Amino acid sequence: VYDSWRTLRGYSLPQNGDILLYMVTPGEGDGLLVIENIRTGQHIEVPRGTRATLSQDGSKVIAQIKPLFSQTRQAKIKKAKKDDMPKDTLAIIDVKTGAIEKFANYKSHGTPDKLHSHIAFELTPAKEKPEGKAEGKPAPKKTPVKELYVMEINTMKIDTLKNVAQYKFNEDGDLLAYIVEPEKKDTVTKPALM
């Protein structure tokens, strides 16, 4: 009985009152993110969308898209390792056109309290297939370089910062502070707060 119930969660109405964001979540199964323009009646649905943030001008929504419930459930039943579990996707939604730009293998993202133009996000590095073993020795493990992507959401231009351990925007989003931790083999780059 409870599996068929739907709950309204995470609703948001910005200052100008034009755009309404809300999530419809079932007791069990896939949820739905709804973006509605109250003035024009435009209605955008993002299956499995969650953690939505609306830009200050109401033109973009940043959201996380969960994998299908059935895929996640099957992976848990098979006791898949964390690295083998289905991954989330980051979505940048243009409220005016309904276009959705997606970034697979989403790990995390950060937005300023007042989202105007920039977001930062991390993706899980794709798993590399191990190279053949040489002389009975296991192939050396390669540590993936941590990359932080900083995107200007109006132009969709992306800058990449390497070896970022932590990051945070200021409230207005015009400054990004981050900590660089170089790879162990790197003797040139020094740990730094930028």
Side-chain angles (χ1 to χ4, degrees):
V1 173
Y2 298 108
D3 292 348
S4 64
W5 288 12
R6 296 194 176 269
T7 306
L8 188 68
R9 291 197 175 150
Y11 56 90
S12 172
L13 191 64
Q15 290 177 341
N16 67 6
D18 288 350
I19 308 296
L20 175 64
L21 292 178
Y22 58 93
M23 287 164 271
V24 180
T25 55
E28 184 175 291
D30 296 321
L32 180 70
L33 169 63
V34 179
I35 305 164
E36 199 165 326
N37 187 319
I38 296 170
R39 294 189 196 270
T40 66
Q42 181 189 20
H43 188 85
I44 301 168
E45 293 184 350
V46 182
R48 303 178 319 280
T50 185
R51 290 190 61 209
T53 303
L54 181 66
S55 63
Q56 291 289 303
D57 65 359
S59 66
K60 303 281 186 187
V61 172
I62 313 304
Q64 178 180 343
I65 299 176
K66 294 286 194 185
L68 288 168
F69 176 80
S70 60
Q71 289 177 338
T72 303
R73 186 170 183 269
Q74 284 302 313
K76 286 180 181 178
I77 289 170
K78 291 179 181 176
K79 297 184 180 180
K81 294 179 182 177
K82 185 178 179 181
D83 290 345
D84 297 329
M85 292 292 287
K87 305 284 188 260
D88 294 346
T89 300
L90 178 67
I92 318 293
I93 303 139
D94 188 310
V95 175
K96 293 174 185 158
T97 66
I100 302 175
E101 184 76 30
K102 295 179 182 178
F103 298 89
N105 296 323
Y106 162 83
K107 184 177 178 182
S108 70
H109 78 276
T111 60
D113 292 338
K114 297 175 183 174
L115 176 59
H116 292 283
S117 61
H118 288 84
I119 65 165
F121 61 94
E122 293 178 278
L123 302 176
T124 303
K127 287 178 78 173
E128 288 186 22
K129 293 182 181 177
E131 296 175 16
K133 296 178 182 178
E135 299 174 20
K137 296 179 182 178
K141 238 184 175 180
K142 291 183 179 178
T143 305
V145 175
K146 290 179 72 174
E147 293 183 336
L148 179 69
Y149 303 97
V150 181
M151 176 188 280
E152 204 294 335
I153 61 173
N154 297 308
T155 63
M156 303 299 278
K157 289 187 179 178
I158 297 176
D159 283 327
T160 305
L161 304 173
K162 299 214 183 273
N163 298 316
V164 175
Q166 296 178 15
Y167 61 96
K168 178 114 175 98
F169 281 102
N170 69 337
E171 183 180 2
D172 291 325
D174 52 359
L175 297 173
L176 173 68
Y178 59 96
I179 298 173
V180 173
E181 286 184 1
E183 296 178 65
K184 290 179 182 174
K185 295 184 282 183
D186 187 350
T187 59
V188 177
T189 308
K190 301 292 181 208
L193 172 62
M194 307 291 211

